[in-house]
Each structure stands twice: as C-alpha cells, then as structure tokens.
Amino acid sequence: MGKLKSAQCVFLALLVGVFHFAPTTADYGVALDLSLKFFEAQRSGKLPSTQRVKWRGDSALNDGYSQGVDLVGGYYDAGDHVKFGLPMAFSVTLLSWAAVEFRKEITELNQLANTLWAIRWGTDYFMKAHSQPNVLWGQVGDGTSDHYCWMRPEDMTTSRYAYKLDVNHPGSDLVGETAAALAAAAMAFKPYNSSYANLLLVHAKQLFSFADTFRGVYTNSIPSAQPFYSSSGYSDELLWAAAWLYLATNDQYYLKYVVDNAVSLGGTGWAVTEFSWDNKYAGLQVLLTKILLEGKGGAYTSTLKQYQAKADYFACACLQKNDGYNVYRTPGGLLYVHQWNNMQYVSSAAFLLAVYSDYLSAANAELNCPNGIVQPQELLNFSGSQADYILGKNPKAISYLVGYGENYPTHAHHRGASIPSIKVLPTLVGCVQGFELWYYRADGNPNVLDGALVGGPDVNDDYSDDRTNYEEAEPTLTGCAPLIGLFSKLQGAKGIPGSYPTNPPLSHETTPSTPQSKPPAVPYTKPSAAPVEFLHSISNSWTFAGTTYYRHAVIIKNTSQKPITDLKLAIEKLSGPLWGLSPTHEKNIYEFPQWLKVLNPGSQCSFVYIQGGPQAKVSVVSYH
C-alpha cells in the first residue's frame, strides 16, 4: 500500500519560532545493520537458515506455478504483499550502487555479506522472471485484492496471479530498470563471484535489447499496477540501463547510446529535483558525470558536460543554492518532495548527493551553483543532516527508522509486523479478521520491523504514529534501499567502526493478546444542519478481470464558523477499501482518524476509496 496518489486529512499549518535540536551522535553502523534487516523482513519465498528476522516464515511458495513459471522469491513491496517489479528493481539497483561505490566502508563495517545477500535475493528472482529473452514477469499479486485483506504473508489467500511483459505487451520502463539492476549487481558481485556476475550481464543485455526494441509503458500492459506505481515514461530507464551496462561492460556501444539519445530521451534536457523509482534522470546524470570527471569522455565530452549541468542542477536545488529553483524544506530542515511517503525521496536524494560528493572529491572538483561554489564536503554534510533527521535529530525527537534509538514508531503500517508471528499464533488470521482484530488496535505492533523507514512527517515536521495513517506510517523498499549506501558512507567518514546490538530489541508485545470484544454502540443523533460540504470526484480508473474500478476522492470542507470535532459520517453502498477515516463500532459509521483532532473553519481534509460501480453515499451523522 502507500502508492495511491491522494491526500489524507493533512493540514499545512504555519509554525512560528525556531526549532532547537538536542545534540545527538548518530551511530550509522547500527542504523545500517537495522536497514539490512528490513530487507530480510520483506523476503518472499523459502527463507534461509541464516534468516535473522525470526518472526517471519516461508510464504508464497507457489508463485507462478499455475502459469508454468517459477516466480518464488523476491521482495514484498511495502506493508502489502504484492511483488511490484519496478520499485523492486530500482531498490536492487541502489543496493548494488552502494556495494560498488562504498565497498570499502561496507566491508569495514562487516556488512558486505548481508548487503550482497540483499542484492542476490532480488537478482535471483529477476533472472527467474526473465524466462525468455523477450519475456519478463513484471508483477506477482494484485494490489486491489491485496488491499482488501489484512493478513500475514504466511496466511495469504489473495490472488497471486502473475503478469507478463512480452513483445506484444511491452514495458520498457520496468524492463529497463531490471536491466539496470542486473548490470549494477554484476559490478557488485564481480570481485567475489565472477561467474555469477557474468550470468547477470547476460540477462541484463537481453533485457536492455528487449526494452529498447519493443517500447511501451509497462502500466499499459499491466494495468493493475496503475493505481500503485504509475509510470511517467520509459525514456529515463532506457538511458539509465545503458549507463549501467557501459560501466559494467566497458562496451562503447552503451556509452554511444546515452550520447546519441541524450536529447531524444531527455537525458540532457530534463533538469529535475527528484530521484525516485519513477524518475531516474538525476541518478543517470550523476552516474555519467563520473565518466566525465575521470577524464574518460573522449569524443563524448561535450554531451557529458550537458549531463553534468543537470546533475549540478539537482544538487544545487537540494542545497538551496539554485537561484530559487530549490527543493522545499520543512521548518526542521527535511527535504519535502511529496506528501505521500516523503522519506523515500529524502533517502534517495541524500544517497545520491553522498555519491556525487565522492565523485567530485576524487576529481578535486567543485560544484558550481548559481548561488556560489560548493565544496564536496558540503554535499556530504547535507546528506548527513538528512540522515540525522531520520535518526532523531528533528523537531519531534523521534527516529523514523524503526528499531533505532529509544523513540521510534511502533505502529508501522505493515501487515506482517502488526499481527503476531505465525510461530507464536499459529492459527490462521483471515482477511477480514486481520482488519477487525489487528489493524485498528491501539497497541503497538507485536513484531518490531527493524530498519523500516516509515513514510515520515508532514510538511510541518508533524508525525502521528498511527497505523491507519498510511501516508506517513508505511515503509517501502525504495525508501530503505538508499540507506545502505548513505549510512555506510557516513559511518566511514567518521573514521570509527559502528557498534552493533548484542541482543535484539524486545517486542512491544511479548505474547499476543486477542482484543477484547467491542463495547456496545452508542446511538447517534443527526444534527439539524450539516456544517461541512463534500466534493466528490473520480481521480483514477482501471479495468481488471473485466471489472472497472474507480478511485474516488472525497474532500470534506468545514463551511461553518466554528471548529469541528468528533465528526461522524455514514458511508453507505461502499463495497471496496477506504483510507483516511477510521471505522467506529457502528456499522457504516466512520470518524476522523486518531491523529486528526479538529477541522478548523475553512479547512479541509479528504479520504479515498476504491470500488466498482456507483459512488458511495456520504452523509453527516453527528458532530461537535
């Protein structure tokens, strides 16, 4: 979950005054160890004997079998159990980049084996999914049916249907990103397992040819991915894959490709302020600048300088030195790119700037920004400031990395973490039962989801540790993957080894307890006049298995002159999942989520729901 692009009830209140941070000394070594454990918690398939996250069990052992292909393995995406190919591949690319760029630091921190295993858990899956030269199985599971259920992965009863890309159903973005992941992984493995690295390159080259020859946006071929990971295009992935293949093979064909297609595919045209699973341009531009700074541009130097100009644009924008065209920062200093799971954009930007700092330092070069010259160390310092914010140096004094420090989120929006381990509670927790007994519980998750980077605070640095607030509480692969390189670089820069916990953190709940029966419902009195108005719209639609589904967005606006609390709504004719409101003990009655206390005059919030057919009927039941 956590990819639908909508707003919950989030308000942008102005903050007055200056934040004073308590001094902290971050232990990036501990943070690195925790971050790698998150990838173990997200494993799908048969778990190895070396599995450190003991509350997880084997799951999805028949993926692909009904369709004649072995798709067991890979990673679950976030708090759900779909294996989405595009973000998974991007995550593996960044893990591999970390292993290539910061190999020395990762090795000194004794985390190289864990890092390579995190990469290989993905690459082994990708090679199985690449069952023929022009075939890639791009997704396992359906997001819509998956989000109807709140279940442990070990109990899954939702669809595990697999979706295939081929010459008649192309997906150059997803296929290109997978090629990039395998090429980058080949570089990571080459010093230790050259035969495996060579195998990765065989698949990477075939996938790049497939992506380039049969072009198309993958969500047109896999429409069920549209509401969750809608792609903006494939041009960046084609260039990104070619760049990684050049670095992995030193084949001039791929360097010539990124130069010849620099204009047509936007590599030297797009100046961006975001680096993410959907937009690779900034990463591409930094990667190609490395070639230029090493003096290997040759006849392509002029075009590579154009790539560098765009890399500089991204870096300067993050540092607020881009002549006003900057990335917004919260009052507490956090980069703020998107409302939904903003931390994934923070971690990727901080990682990329740490890499760029290394490239500039190695070449004794500086960053030329419109607002002044920037030394490489300043780039790394800024990356450190974002890492420190993540680890607790922020206005809320909370670590947004689960398991780190004394104060971290205990209600991560994550199915497996929120339900007791199958090893402790062996009985089946059903689809609806999971919602009723565990999703809405006030207690913290019974399993500590070590290393999970939650979505993070809002634009005003405010955060609510609420499992139902999925925009802020859900962790993702794409958010955690950049942390491996970021934390290893920062710990290495300190010149001292990181420390590691000798004992795992205790669970927030040592034994599972079944929630008590619900209290009797309280009757509601309908007010004489509703103080709110509703603006109902359909923001997206898609067709799956012959049924058209609609994503409905409903804005609630306070039209009265007084603050509203305890607003309760009746939502009838609702057949699908709903986010942004909390259910009450009365059937079809919903209220504000716990983290939203008041709706001020003129303010508004929103909720979303998905269903086929007509929209639901929304009405006011009571308010104060």
Side-chain angles (χ1 to χ4, degrees):
M1 203 183 287
K3 282 69 63 178
L4 294 171
K5 300 190 177 171
S6 67
Q8 277 188 320
C9 304
V10 178
F11 303 116
L12 310 181
L14 294 176
L15 297 183
V16 180
V18 178
F19 290 116
H20 298 282
F21 296 123
T24 62
T25 303
D27 192 330
Y28 305 116
V30 168
L32 171 62
D33 188 58
L34 290 169
S35 300
L36 285 164
K37 285 182 180 178
F38 175 73
F39 284 89
E40 296 189 24
Q42 296 301 104
R43 284 172 171 169
S44 178
K46 180 72 176 177
L47 301 183
S49 59
T50 54
Q51 174 83 5
R52 294 183 295 169
V53 180
K54 300 299 184 183
W55 51 266
R56 277 296 323 282
D58 299 341
S59 62
L61 298 180
N62 296 311
D63 278 1
Y65 283 2
S66 64
Q67 293 163 271
V69 61
D70 177 7
L71 296 176
V72 177
Y75 288 108
Y76 298 124
D77 173 60
D80 52 25
H81 299 138
V82 183
K83 294 192 291 199
F84 288 106
L86 184 58
M88 191 197 309
F90 177 67
S91 299
V92 171
T93 305
L94 293 195
L95 287 172
S96 300
W97 198 354
V100 171
E101 197 62 46
F102 303 126
R103 177 179 291 119
K104 177 178 179 292
E105 291 86 350
I106 292 174
T107 301
E108 289 178 350
L109 290 166
N110 197 30
Q111 293 291 355
L112 184 61
N114 288 329
T115 301
L116 291 178
W117 269 116
I119 296 168
R120 185 158 185 169
W121 199 266
T123 54
D124 281 352
Y125 170 77
F126 294 145
M127 288 192 291
K128 290 195 293 185
H130 182 218
S131 55
Q132 298 176 42
N134 291 333
V135 170
L136 179 67
W137 295 83
Q139 180 177 318
V140 179
D142 167 59
T144 301
S145 62
D146 180 271
H147 288 158
Y148 272 103
C149 292
W150 194 262
M151 306 178 74
R152 299 173 296 201
E154 297 83 2
D155 289 335
M156 268 192 294
T157 59
T158 50
S159 169
R160 300 304 293 170
Y161 185 82
Y163 300 83
K164 180 175 65 173
L165 299 172
D166 56 28
V167 297
N168 297 315
H169 307 88
S172 301
D173 32 20
L174 198 163
V175 178
E177 182 60 62
T178 308
L182 294 175
M187 296 180 66
F189 276 98
K190 186 175 181 179
Y192 314 103
N193 190 335
S194 59
S195 60
Y196 186 70
N198 290 337
L199 180 61
L200 292 171
L201 281 177
V202 170
H203 284 273
K205 291 175 182 178
Q206 289 183 355
L207 284 166
F208 176 76
S209 177
F210 173 29
D212 190 38
T213 304
F214 302 96
R215 296 190 180 186
V217 175
Y218 92 99
T219 44
N220 291 335
S221 299
I222 307 178
S224 69
Q226 180 74 33
F228 307 97
Y229 284 103
S230 179
S231 173
S232 60
Y234 55 75
S235 296
D236 51 337
E237 280 87 5
L238 289 177
L239 294 170
W240 176 243
W244 276 111
L245 276 163
Y246 170 68
L247 293 174
T249 65
N250 202 33
D251 186 338
Q252 290 292 310
Y253 168 81
Y254 297 108
L255 182 57
K256 187 175 185 297
Y257 183 95
V258 298
V259 170
D260 289 348
N261 293 280
V263 175
S264 63
L265 295 180
T268 55
W270 280 104
V272 299
T273 55
E274 169 188 319
F275 177 47
S276 69
W277 58 266
D278 184 43
N279 192 325
K280 319 296 163 51
Y281 281 117
L284 163 74
Q285 290 151 357
V286 168
L287 199 61
L288 293 177
T289 299
K290 171 184 172 68
I291 300 169
L292 179 69
L293 293 173
E294 290 177 345
K296 299 177 181 178
Y300 306 129
T301 295
S302 61
T303 301
L304 293 178
K305 284 184 176 180
Q306 295 177 53
Y307 275 107
Q308 182 185 24
K310 297 303 186 292
D312 290 351
Y313 183 98
F314 175 83
C316 296
C318 290
L319 293 174
Q320 311 292 292
K321 294 179 179 291
N322 203 40
D323 196 25
Y325 296 96
N326 299 314
V327 182
Y328 183 78
R329 288 191 201 173
T330 68
L334 184 72
L335 292 174
Y336 197 84
V337 182
H338 288 294
Q339 177 176 313
W340 195 298
N341 202 299
N342 180 62
M343 277 300 188
Q344 66 179 311
Y345 305 98
V346 174
S347 63
S348 59
F351 166 73
L352 189 57
L353 293 181
V355 170
Y356 199 19
S357 171
D358 257 22
Y359 293 168
L360 291 169
S361 294
N364 293 316
E366 300 170 325
L367 175 66
N368 294 300
C369 293
N371 298 122
I373 301 296
V374 176
Q375 298 301 320
Q377 184 61 43
E378 188 174 342
L379 279 176
L380 186 60
N381 291 345
F382 179 73
S383 292
S385 74
Q386 300 302 288
D388 289 347
Y389 187 109
I390 289 171
L391 297 179
K393 194 174 182 181
N394 55 63
K396 300 288 285 186
I398 181 174
S399 165
Y400 292 106
L401 190 77
V402 174
Y404 183 89
E406 300 297 325
N407 182 25
Y408 53 83
T410 60
H411 296 72
H413 180 96
H414 189 275
R415 288 160 172 77
S418 68
I419 304 173
S421 169
I422 195 168
K423 300 174 183 179
V424 177
L425 183 67
T427 56
L428 172 71
V429 177
C431 175
V432 177
Q433 184 184 21
F435 277 112
E436 293 178 342
L437 299 184
W438 302 105
Y439 178 65
Y440 295 110
R441 299 176 78 230
D443 294 345
N445 293 340
N447 305 308
V448 179
L449 190 61
D450 280 334
L453 178 65
V454 296
D458 65 16
V459 71
N460 293 313
D461 300 292
D462 195 22
Y463 179 78
S464 174
D465 188 15
D466 183 342
R467 194 179 297 112
T468 67
N469 187 358
Y470 46 87
E471 287 187 355
E472 298 181 3
E474 186 171 28
T476 62
L477 291 177
T478 54
C480 292
L483 298 179
I484 308 308
L486 177 63
F487 289 149
S488 60
K489 173 59 182 177
L490 292 173
Q491 187 64 39
K494 291 174 66 173
I496 56 174
S499 57
Y500 302 95
T502 55
N503 296 306
L506 295 175
S507 168
H508 298 296
E509 184 179 271
T510 55
T511 57
S513 59
T514 302
Q516 300 298 314
S517 59
K518 297 175 180 178
V522 178
Y524 298 102
T525 303
K526 188 172 183 177
S528 57
V532 299
E533 66 177 11
F534 303 106
L535 178 61
H536 192 122
S537 63
I538 294 177
S539 55
N540 202 352
S541 66
W542 63 97
T543 300
F544 174 71
T547 300
T548 300
Y549 294 89
Y550 299 92
R551 177 174 167 275
H552 300 262
V554 182
I555 295 175
I556 309 171
K557 182 176 182 180
N558 182 353
T559 57
S560 71
Q561 301 300 312
K562 297 180 180 179
I564 296 175
T565 60
D566 297 324
L567 177 68
K568 292 186 171 57
L569 304 176
I571 303 181
E572 302 171 277
K573 299 180 180 179
L574 177 68
S575 61
L578 178 148
W579 298 276
L581 297 173
S582 296
T584 68
H585 302 303
E586 185 78 3
K587 183 179 180 180
N588 298 332
I589 304 299
Y590 293 79
E591 61 187 359
F592 287 149
Q594 294 180 0
W595 52 271
L596 177 62
K597 304 301 183 184
V598 61
L599 188 63
N600 289 314
S603 296
Q604 63 185 35
C605 66
S606 65
F607 65 93
V608 297
Y609 63 92
I610 295 173
Q611 67 182 24
Q615 68 185 45
K617 180 181 179 182
V618 182
S619 59
V620 175
V621 174
S622 66
Y623 68 93
H624 291 293

